[in-house]
Amino acid sequence: MRFILVFVIVSFLHSCSNIEFVYNNENSLTNPLYENTKISTAGFDLVFLKSYIPTVFGNTKNEKFDLLILVQEKKIRRSVETNQAVSNLRHELRFSYELKSLEESCVIVKKEILSSFSTSPKSSGYNYGTDVSLEKKYELAISENINRFISYLSGVDLKSCL
């Protein structure tokens, strides 16, 4: 009985010997722009964006890159009632990123990423539940968009120009 138990344990350990981890590459874990980028935003003013940028990119200590983030919002009425009230509204946030190298004085990356979400506006006036929900959806769209851009950068050579 002990022989079988030892055999099962040894074969289990042997079968796990060639496991490769997803995050084995150290470059995929780090943000290459962290504390190396001067960031400026333009376009649609999003309050959460200004507070989220320092958490992702850090405080600029060594300016190697210049990142311009242009934000555009488009609201699309998806469902309109008979009295012309909107019952479903789609928000599209288009982020245009332009990353420049200050050392090489050239553009490295131009990337446009679209994020969207839908809301169901309620009656006119201030509706606390709807407004807080809308703020949270903006926060999720912003963080998801910036994280997609950072993950896109892991496959880009930041030393070569366009």
Side-chain angles (χ1 to χ4, degrees):
M1 185 67 173
R2 283 187 174 181
F3 178 73
I4 295 173
L5 182 63
V6 170
F7 178 74
V8 169
I9 292 174
V10 168
S11 60
F12 176 74
L13 292 175
H14 179 68
S15 66
C16 296
S17 64
N18 291 330
I19 292 178
E20 292 184 25
F21 294 100
V22 174
Y23 294 115
N24 198 17
N25 184 0
E26 220 175 276
N27 293 333
S28 66
L29 290 176
T30 60
N31 179 359
L33 302 180
Y34 191 76
E35 294 184 346
N36 294 324
T37 309
K38 177 185 158 204
I39 299 166
S40 54
T41 60
F44 188 67
D45 188 29
L46 296 168
V47 178
F48 181 72
L49 179 64
K50 292 177 182 175
S51 64
Y52 188 66
I53 285 176
T55 61
V56 175
F57 297 103
N59 297 325
T60 306
K61 293 181 180 176
N62 185 12
E63 285 189 17
K64 293 181 181 178
F65 304 104
D66 185 20
L67 178 64
L68 172 65
I69 304 173
L70 175 66
V71 182
Q72 298 171 330
E73 182 185 37
K74 184 177 181 182
K75 294 180 182 178
I76 301 167
R77 296 178 181 152
R78 298 201 39 155
S79 180
V80 180
E81 301 294 327
T82 55
N83 65 354
Q84 298 302 312
V86 177
S87 62
N88 194 340
L89 188 64
R90 180 178 172 87
H91 298 261
E92 289 184 353
L93 295 173
R94 187 174 306 275
F95 286 70
S96 299
Y97 298 95
E98 183 176 271
L99 182 65
K100 296 179 183 176
S101 171
L102 296 176
E103 295 170 347
E104 302 290 326
S105 299
C106 65
V107 176
I108 299 171
V109 172
K110 280 189 176 181
K111 180 76 174 162
E112 192 171 278
I113 301 175
L114 179 72
S115 293
S116 63
F117 59 90
S118 295
T119 58
S120 298
K122 300 299 178 200
S123 64
S124 62
Y126 196 77
N127 187 338
Y128 293 103
T130 302
D131 292 339
V132 170
S133 173
L134 182 62
E135 287 176 16
K136 289 295 181 190
K137 287 184 179 186
Y138 272 115
E139 290 176 12
L140 287 172
I142 291 167
S143 60
E144 179 259 340
N145 197 298
I146 291 177
N147 290 335
R148 282 175 47 197
F149 177 68
I150 296 298
S151 66
Y152 169 76
L153 287 179
S154 66
V156 173
D157 181 19
L158 297 178
K159 295 186 186 339
S160 66
C161 300
L162 289 179

